[in-house]
Amino acid sequence: MSMQVAGMMNHFWLVLFSEDALRQAAGLRYISHMIDDRPYWYLWHAAHAGVYELDLLGAQAMDGYDWLAEFVVKYYPDKDEPWYEGLSFLEKLCRASYVFQTPPSAGGGCPCHSLSHNHEEQRFADLAESTGAPSYAGRDIIPPDFFYAGHLYIAFKDTIGSVIRLKTQTSWQVAVTQNHTIRNGDGQPLTSLKKGALDRNYSGFAISNSIYQGLVKSWSSFHQYEVNREQIWRGEGVRFLNDGKDIKTEPSLNIERIIVQTELVCREEDVLALVPDGDLEEMHLEN
């Protein structure tokens, strides 16, 4: 099922980048399809200096749909972006490390893959120094929770419609509850974190909503959906507590959990099945 979804997504991206109107609706400059244990895509957004990663976690059959696919949204900010300051100490260390030092391309070709192609000379000029994405060799050492912004879901029913859903928070925070020192693999101290400090305050909704809105517009155009219905649920968020040994969670009135959903159908009379989600039961629907 995952390969079926990956095949449709790749066809979608191919058509999107062959038509300027679709690409501009998505707000994208470039895309790179990657695969190791599962498919994922790097997306260079026109409005942001960093690089998005859309990681296909899996797909399954579901009543009323051909498939339901789940993606993780990550964002690798440029060091000059405000979002960069919200990263944790270790995320910043990772972002500045060899993990993001993609080798230069041969012959002026695609820098993300270090391959030579017969592209026009200036096509990837803005990526000549750095792609902003992890190198293929270094990506595996990045912890799964690093650079995380949200989850994205697509439920698809051929000839009827799709449901696209984003789940995230206004901010993903990690608060320090005990003084502790971060050390490298040799035991040498790298930094000390003080009780009461925020080690991470990374925007969730602001980052992931750009990709979500662009995907909704371009997916709708690609499938020629005529009807667009959007809903937003909000609820109390959580923050993470780090004592230097364990990570725990606690409710936070200062953080908002957000679920945004767009229902896209071919005709007004088309009806899509409910996509169940236990998180919705604890949240309120905006009027």
Side-chain angles (χ1 to χ4, degrees), residues 50 68-69 142 163 166 272 274 286:
L68 171 66
I142 301 177
V163 171
L166 172 67
L272 289 169
L274 177 68
E286 280 192 355

Side-chain angles (χ1 to χ4, degrees), residues 5 12-13 24 29 44 67 70 92-93 139 142 152 154 156 160 167 194 205 212 217 224 241 243 268-269:
V5 172
F12 164 65
W13 298 126
Q24 290 171 6
R29 291 184 290 134
W44 285 261
W67 46 260
E70 178 182 2
K92 290 177 181 176
L93 198 65
R139 178 179 180 271
I142 301 177
L152 185 77
I154 302 176
F156 175 77
I160 301 296
K167 296 175 66 173
K194 302 299 183 183
F205 183 70
Y212 169 77
K217 291 177 184 177
Q224 297 184 333
L241 307 178
D243 64 2
E268 188 70 42
E269 62 270 21

Side-chain angles (χ1 to χ4, degrees), residues 52 57 92 97 166 201 205 266:
Y52 285 89
L57 284 189
K92 290 177 181 176
S97 75
L166 172 67
N201 189 16
F205 183 70
C266 295

